[in-house]
Amino acid sequence: MTTSTIRPASDYPPGGDAFRHRHLIGIAQLTPWEISYVLDAAEEWVDLNRAGAAKHNDKLAGLTIINAFFENSTRTLLSFEIAGKRLGADVVNMHAAQSSVKKGETLIDTAMTLNAMRADAMVIRHGSSGAVQLIADKVDCPVLNAGDGRHEHPTQALLDALTIRRRLGRVEGLTIAICGDVLHSRVARSNILALTLLGNEVRVVAPPTLTPPAIERMHVTTFTDMDEGLKDADVVMMLRLQNERMDGAYLPSAREYHALYGLTPKRLEKAKPDAIVMHPGPMNRGVEIDSSIADHPTRSTITEQVEMGVAVRMACLDILTRRQRGVAGWN
Amino acid sequence: MELKPLLITNARLIDGDTPRPGSLLVAGGRIAAIDPTDIPDGTETVDAKGQWLAPGIIDLGVFATDKPAFHFGGITRAALMPDAGPLDDPGLVERAAKGGKPDLWVHPVAAATKGLAGKELAEIGLMKSAGARAVATGRTRIADAGVMRRVLAYAASLGLVTIIHAEDEGLTAGAVATDGEMATRLGLASAPAIAEAIAIARDLALVEETGAPVHFRQVTTARGLALVRAAKASGLPVTCGITPAHLFLSDTAIGDFRTFARLSPPLRSEDDRHACLAAVADGTIDILSSGHDPRGPEDKRLPFAEALPGMAGAETLLALGLNLVRDGHVALGRLFDMLSATPACVLGVNAGRLEPGKEADLILIDDGTPWQVDAKKMAAYAGNTPFDGMPVQGRATAMWKGGLRVR
């Protein structure tokens, strides 16, 4: 495994100019250097997370972080919770299933309620595109988007970029194939934005029924033939296929999807010999990805992505709360 | 109460492409004469001070009886779409028709099918007797072509025009935007623009067969307009309309998830917008209406896909229409055909022109007044305008309904 060099702090504008955002709503608002600033910051947290038993830093001690998840999630919620706790913050989780959202309270009212409890940061996931932006416009603290509808999932794109950078030594000039249900995927949208912004060739490989209209306007090339789409790729990024897409409306069946778009060892041969395979999880083994690839010790990055997820989220929470914490240069 | 005769002097009359100096006499609630020579005793005189005198706007297809907004916008008659209610019962129609008294004409549009469900014919004949002036499919089309065929033939036999919403329900299921870069970047479910042309094509075939007159309330795509253009050329009894939104905005307006720009049909591509402007210029589009659909924060301050479509358009209709004249897309006379005369024909009302014998629904317009659209200060009961902040010019300053001063 190669590890890329972290840029020296002097490469970035001083203080808060290095990351000029109050919220993290999407990759669409970020510049390339802001992305690499977050990735560099995350590298430090990777080291801390690996440093044996005492994984604690008290940077955010005394701060309250609310994880408001209006859509079910296990791993993202857990990842944000661990990230907050490792930084010493008090982390509270709110699940929509247990909340007054079920009683008909509007999203804005829920947001105002959380705001009145004086959270220092909010991490929000919602099933509707644009919902996190709507909340961010109404509250006083930084808001981190943990996924809104099909729109964006910025921390996933950042952790994917970090994983690629650590595995391949760079995240520019690469050929990256994003494969699967791109139409319904916020992970795909954020990754397309981040990876094209950083100067990679991004391909979208998907059945025509799951390719978003006008996606080529996002500076990607589209493929419906998986073998062609994987040709000489450095990175193969698989997406999760939701079970409800396989009921005949978008796809005839799971077995047909596997036959045409499943990542098998034979198909992976089309990519570069050292190409890495990524998946945001949770996987449908035997549908979009074969187990032998998912568990491959050198080519699969799936567990490493989960590890990078915690580091990237620690970096984001740290950076976005610097203004409240009065860190020098951040005002 | 007998109204005194009314003389409006020193006006510039809008009865052609150029406003011309003149005066107008109203007697018995109707226009009695243009540039009269004999003035009856006891005539009340109003000095228009050089302002434009135009027929009141007839707004074909609104979703609420919102008097303050209509009065602000110079709208003297509003054709009320059947969706609220829905207006599928003679009693409801009769009540809706009285909803504007005494200072606004409300012309209810009857629901074509019971509950607007698209299954069974509604009591169109009884609703006509109760005051309905047209029939409509509501916010959606009738999916079943067999039902639609019967609706068209039945309405035509009663002398009513059927007002159609043209979007194919299969293609647009779940969609909140038009296919394109904007919808894809925002991650919004979208439908191809051809959903409109497909719906229009089916209904034009039914019109050809039944001979029934129809009005497509909003045609917003190049392909849809091409079909309507061809149908008119072959002599079919077809008219179509549009609102200012699809003439002045494209789907870039939904960026940042602006729910005030969530409309039905959704905003289209820039190419389609230009096709709409061309269709206004060449006469394919007959009617300009507001689509007035005021929606409060409970319907609009939501994530984009959960917000309801619609805009408050009554107040901005005239000013944005005048933009079409200033930009050289239409002549002034044709703008008022689109705003007043043609809607009057569709509804079968004796109004919409400055001609002796017509109902005296009149507005004075100060065409030079600059003002700014402000969503927070609208007369409408909700300020959901996609034109918030836009500087515009021209507004109604006075208004008469059947010779009665209402503003």
Side-chain angles (χ1 to χ4, degrees), chain A residues 80-221:
Chain A
F80 268 109
E81 184 173 359
I82 290 171
K85 285 184 169 162
R86 289 220 174 126
L87 291 168
D90 299 316
V91 181
V92 188
N93 295 332
M94 192 201 84
H95 302 274
Q98 304 161 1
S99 75
S100 47
V101 176
K102 290 274 184 233
K103 298 173 194 159
E105 188 178 59
T106 70
L107 184 60
I108 298 276
D109 289 338
T110 309
M112 296 316 290
T113 304
L114 298 180
N115 192 50
M117 294 175 186
R118 305 225 170 255
D120 297 295
M122 284 188 207
V123 178
I124 296 166
R125 167 169 288 192
H126 195 281
S128 200
S129 302
V132 177
Q133 171 85 62
L134 188 67
I135 294 175
D137 290 344
K138 300 283 172 197
V139 301
D140 302 315
C141 67
V143 168
L144 283 84
N145 183 359
D148 63 324
R150 312 172 178 185
H151 178 223
E152 284 235 39
H153 190 354
T155 56
Q156 178 73 42
L158 292 168
L159 75 88
D160 286 340
L162 182 62
T163 307
I164 296 169
R165 201 175 78 166
R166 288 174 64 93
R167 274 293 185 100
L168 302 178
R170 64 194 161 108
V171 57
E172 58 185 53
L174 301 172
T175 300
I176 300 166
I178 301 179
C179 313
D181 183 1
V182 179
L183 180 64
H184 299 98
S185 176
R186 54 190 170 220
V187 174
R189 278 175 183 73
S190 285
N191 264 310
I192 289 169
L193 288 168
L195 295 170
T196 53
L197 201 59
L198 294 171
N200 300 282
E201 185 204 326
V202 177
R203 301 172 179 173
V204 159
V205 185
T209 49
L210 294 174
T211 304
I215 188 73
E216 65 286 348
R217 299 281 300 157
M218 294 182 79
H219 313 290
V220 299
T221 43

Side-chain angles (χ1 to χ4, degrees), chain B residues 5-7 9 23-25 33 35-45:
Chain B
L6 166 73
L7 179 70
T9 60
S23 59
L24 182 144
L25 181 68
D35 295 328
T37 45
D38 296 334
I39 312 296
D41 291 340
T43 297
E44 181 194 350
T45 305

Side-chain angles (χ1 to χ4, degrees), chain B residues 60-288:
Chain B
L60 189 69
V62 302
F63 291 89
T65 303
D66 187 359
K67 263 192 215 178
F70 296 142
H71 284 167
F72 183 102
I75 294 162
T76 48
R77 292 173 188 257
L80 179 66
M81 291 293 281
D83 298 78
L87 299 179
D88 65 348
D89 174 271
L92 293 173
V93 166
E94 196 173 342
R95 203 177 64 167
K98 289 176 181 159
K101 285 187 173 175
D103 47 7
L104 173 76
W105 296 101
V106 174
H107 298 302
V109 177
T113 55
K114 286 179 187 152
L116 282 174
K119 300 261 185 327
E120 305 159 82
L121 293 186
E123 292 171 326
I124 298 170
L126 293 178
M127 286 192 278
K128 183 189 176 189
S129 307
R133 286 284 179 178
V135 174
T137 65
R139 294 183 196 272
T140 57
R141 76 161 179 168
I142 293 174
D144 186 322
V147 175
M148 187 62 181
R149 181 164 173 261
R150 291 189 284 274
V151 164
L152 290 177
Y154 197 84
S157 74
L158 293 165
L160 297 176
V161 174
T162 302
I163 298 174
I164 300 173
H165 179 92
E167 276 190 295
D168 179 87
E169 61 290 334
L171 287 170
T172 55
V176 297
T178 306
D179 277 1
E181 181 181 356
M182 188 52 71
T184 289
R185 282 185 184 270
L186 294 175
L188 295 173
S190 59
I194 54 158
E196 180 177 279
I198 288 173
I200 289 174
R202 182 199 76 175
D203 289 343
L204 286 176
L206 294 172
V207 168
E208 201 172 354
E209 207 211 32
T210 58
V214 297
H215 172 67
F216 294 100
R217 195 170 66 82
Q218 300 181 79
V219 182
T220 59
T221 62
R223 294 187 66 160
L225 288 162
L227 290 172
V228 172
R229 194 175 285 125
K232 286 180 157 193
S234 68
L236 294 183
V238 175
T239 54
C240 75
I242 198 164
T243 72
H246 287 93
L247 294 171
F248 294 108
L249 301 173
S250 63
D251 62 358
T252 52
I254 66 172
D256 287 336
F257 301 98
R258 291 181 60 222
T259 57
F260 284 6
R262 168 136 198 243
L263 305 176
S264 169
L267 289 171
R268 307 297 192 184
S269 69
E270 193 61 12
D271 286 349
D272 277 332
R273 183 178 84 86
H274 284 286
C276 292
L277 286 170
V280 163
D282 75 10
T284 304
I285 293 177
D286 305 279
I287 290 175
L288 184 66

Side-chain angles (χ1 to χ4, degrees), chain A residues 235-268:
Chain A
V235 177
V236 180
M237 188 179 283
M238 302 304 297
L239 299 172
R240 174 177 166 73
L241 185 71
Q242 309 277 346
N243 287 325
E244 59 266 30
R245 311 288 176 225
M246 292 182 275
D247 62 3
Y250 290 92
L251 296 169
S253 67
R255 65 178 189 176
E256 175 151 331
Y257 185 75
H258 182 256
L260 268 59
Y261 295 97
L263 188 62
T264 58
K266 189 160 181 299
R267 256 194 196 121
L268 188 55

